[in-house]
Amino acid sequence: MRQSCVNDAPPVIPAPLVSALRAARFVAALTGAGVSAESGVPTFRDAQTGLWAQFDPLELATPAAFARNPKRVWDWYAMRRERVGRVTPNPAHVALAVLERHAPEFLLITQNVDGLHQRAGSRRVVELHGNITRVCCSRDGTPAEHWEDTDAAAPPRCATCGAFLRPDVVWFEEMLPQDALAAAEDAASRCDILLVVGTSAGVYPAAALPTLARRHGAQVVEINTETTPLSAQADYALRGKAGIVLPTLVAAVWSASAPPA
Ligand code: BV8
């Protein structure tokens, strides 16, 4: 069932979906870059701007790119880290934090690396692809709390072993953190409803989670401004901006009831 909001008007949330969310024991959410778009964080597929316009993210976010030109990759992440530090969560992030307080069981599975869900108050968060605000040793993953980015030709180095530091994110062709993926797959297998918000559903294994949820009997609700490869298999496709649709959905389902203490 498709619902659209035209010109940012809040969508009508289908009554069966309202009832299903009220009755749901376990609600899970899978988010992508679209949930941070209204905070001013460019989506992964947005055209890169300025110095980075000539690069495809798929060619920067890889171990080979880092091995080939560590300073270029380090600087791309430093620019994105600085940008993320300047933005704030939007109503979509806040709505998911409110939803967490209402649902008997809830898990937020994010592909995003910007940390905005936690800044909006979400506590049950699984970061499938790491977090751009964290930095670690490129040799053994040891977290680095402080670093001096003073060398114009190379990334900062690990204070312990001298290897280059790197962003604590999962690059393409790197394995996801096993504990994060296991928690996400468990939630997809057990949830009653999976909200899939602001993702082009094209990066695996995250993109396989909605299929896993449906296979285990969950209803899948897609919230996106556009149609994606997931849209056809979603039980509900709410077309519109996450910052408008999610608050509307949460209000329609739980407005009458205060969140449990
Ligand atoms: C792995 C961190 C094993 C870094 C990221 C061939 C077929 C299938 C799979 C593969 C294949 N070849 C290789 C693979 C595996 C590969 C993959 O899936 N590739 C894709 C490109 C085909 N996956 C991997 O490599 C993963 N690891 O599989 O390990 C392995 C080992 C060796 C070799 C092969 C496999 C690791 C994947 C993790 C990569 N790291 N991020 C960084 O951020 O720099 S992924 C990165 O891109 C994001 O984290 C995110 O996950 C993804 C972008 O997706 P979205 O979040 O969906 O963003 P996007 O811009 O695409 O879409 C935004 C959506 O929002 C749009 O739909 C838009 O309409 C919507 N929208 C916009 N505004 C709004 C909105 N919606 C609502 N409201 C709005 N306001």
Side-chain angles (χ1 to χ4, degrees):
M1 178 186 287
R2 270 194 54 174
Q3 297 288 334
S4 289
C5 57
V6 179
N7 310 322
D8 291 354
V12 174
I13 307 299
L17 175 56
V18 172
S19 305
L21 280 164
R22 282 194 182 131
R25 183 188 37 79
F26 186 173
V27 177
L30 170 66
T31 65
V35 88
S36 296
E38 291 153 83
S39 292
V41 181
T43 65
F44 216 77
R45 297 307 191 263
D46 275 354
Q48 298 240 85
T49 56
L51 169 68
W52 306 104
Q54 59 193 303
F55 297 105
D56 174 352
L58 292 179
E59 286 158 22
L60 283 170
T62 67
F66 188 70
R68 200 168 40 246
N69 192 329
K71 181 61 173 168
R72 173 187 294 161
V73 173
W74 172 267
D75 286 348
W76 183 51
Y77 281 93
M79 177 275 289
R80 291 173 59 196
R81 186 179 308 114
E82 192 274 332
R83 182 169 56 193
V84 160
R86 282 189 280 113
V87 302
T88 53
N90 70 63
H93 298 106
V94 173
L96 286 168
V98 170
L99 201 166
E100 174 179 329
R101 294 199 294 274
H102 281 287
E105 187 174 356
F106 179 81
L107 185 68
L108 202 168
I109 306 156
T110 189
Q111 302 173 85
N112 298 340
V113 297
D114 56 35
L116 288 176
H117 285 302
Q118 295 92 323
R119 287 172 55 191
S122 289
R123 289 166 300 186
R124 299 273 301 134
V125 181
V126 166
E127 293 177 318
L128 289 179
H129 297 157
N131 187 310
I132 201 168
T133 63
R134 296 195 299 263
V135 166
C136 62
C137 173
S138 61
R139 190 178 64 83
D140 63 12
T142 304
E145 296 304 324
H146 307 286
W147 58 88
E148 290 287 316
D149 191 0
T150 51
D151 183 342
R157 291 184 178 275
C158 171
T160 307
C161 75
F164 289 141
L165 294 180
R166 59 164 284 178
D168 186 11
V169 299
V170 179
W171 281 328
F172 288 98
E173 297 173 22
E174 287 189 320
M175 302 299 283
L176 274 59
Q178 274 315 302
D179 54 345
L181 184 56
E185 289 173 342
D186 171 64
S189 305
R190 292 192 300 113
C191 68
D192 301 307
I193 294 180
L194 176 67
L195 306 176
V196 183
V197 192
T199 181
S200 58
V203 174
Y204 289 80
L209 292 169
T211 305
L212 179 63
R214 279 185 61 78
R215 200 164 55 234
H216 284 79
Q219 291 190 76
V220 172
V221 182
E222 181 184 57
I223 296 170
N224 199 309
T225 47
E226 296 170 4
T227 300
T228 73
L230 174 68
S231 303
Q233 63 169 298
D235 297 276
Y236 298 92
L238 306 181
R239 202 56 72 237
K241 291 180 179 177
I244 292 172
V245 175
L246 273 172
T248 306
L249 181 141
V250 170
V253 178
W254 288 290
S255 58
S257 57

